[in-house]
Amino acid sequence: MLINLPHKGANSSITVKDILDCGVALGPDRIPLIHTGWTEKMWGKPEFWTQMPYLEPGVGAFMASQGVPALAMDVFPEKPLWRGVKVEPGEVWQSNHLALMEKGIPLIQFVTNLSQIGSGKFVLVALPLKMKGADGSPARVIALVE
């Protein structure tokens, strides 16, 4: 299911409240796909990395608590330390990664062309390369639109 957040522009954060306000039903039979439009608009531009929206800590744990089979998005799932965003005392920088990985939930980042999916039903397919000893991989990600 597509979680449309096109108002999340440069330097913004995506919160659990933002996701809940979209009214999407989360659960073990639905892969949430967070769509800000950032990757489509900004890929190849210097601002892509320096102003990218990100998920607030706690989004990964929330998604894991909902039993989602994977989480996909068109941005990076953590605070952008490369642009000087500070981690709060006691906060784990990769909390979203860790919360999902602890439950065996794949994280699919930087998915593009999400505006082509539309508002109807679709099946998300992610085909990662099998890489020995790696904890991540490039993947071919497609949506089969009904």
Side-chain angles (χ1 to χ4, degrees):
M1 94 221 75
L2 206 55
I3 298 172
N4 278 310
L5 299 169
H7 62 285
K8 292 295 182 174
N11 301 312
S12 65
S13 64
I14 298 160
T15 66
V16 171
K17 182 181 182 322
D18 292 325
I19 293 165
L20 292 172
D21 287 350
C22 287
V24 297
L26 301 169
D29 60 342
R30 297 171 181 233
I31 297 174
L33 182 50
I34 298 172
H35 176 223
T36 65
W38 186 256
T39 300
E40 288 178 66
K41 291 183 282 194
M42 301 303 291
W43 182 254
K45 298 177 183 175
E47 299 85 2
F48 178 79
W49 293 106
T50 61
Q51 298 178 18
M52 181 184 304
Y54 59 93
L55 304 184
E56 278 290 319
V59 171
F62 170 72
M63 291 293 185
S65 76
Q66 299 301 301
V68 300
L71 174 60
M73 67 202 70
D74 63 357
V75 293
F76 191 70
E78 310 294 348
K79 284 186 174 180
L81 298 183
W82 59 85
R83 69 173 195 245
V85 173
K86 303 289 185 221
V87 175
E88 301 300 322
E91 181 182 341
V92 176
W93 176 60
Q94 291 186 312
S95 62
N96 290 317
H97 273 88
L98 296 173
L100 295 164
M101 299 290 184
E102 285 176 354
K103 301 288 186 180
I105 300 170
L107 183 60
I108 308 165
Q109 324 175 126
F110 302 120
V111 181
T112 193
N113 296 323
L114 300 181
S115 63
Q116 295 180 20
I117 293 175
S119 60
K121 290 185 178 184
F122 66 93
V123 173
L124 185 70
V125 179
L127 305 168
L129 296 175
K130 187 174 184 177
M131 299 175 68
K132 187 175 183 173
D135 64 356
S137 168
R140 173 72 65 194
V141 181
I142 62 171
L144 303 172
V145 179
E146 291 182 8

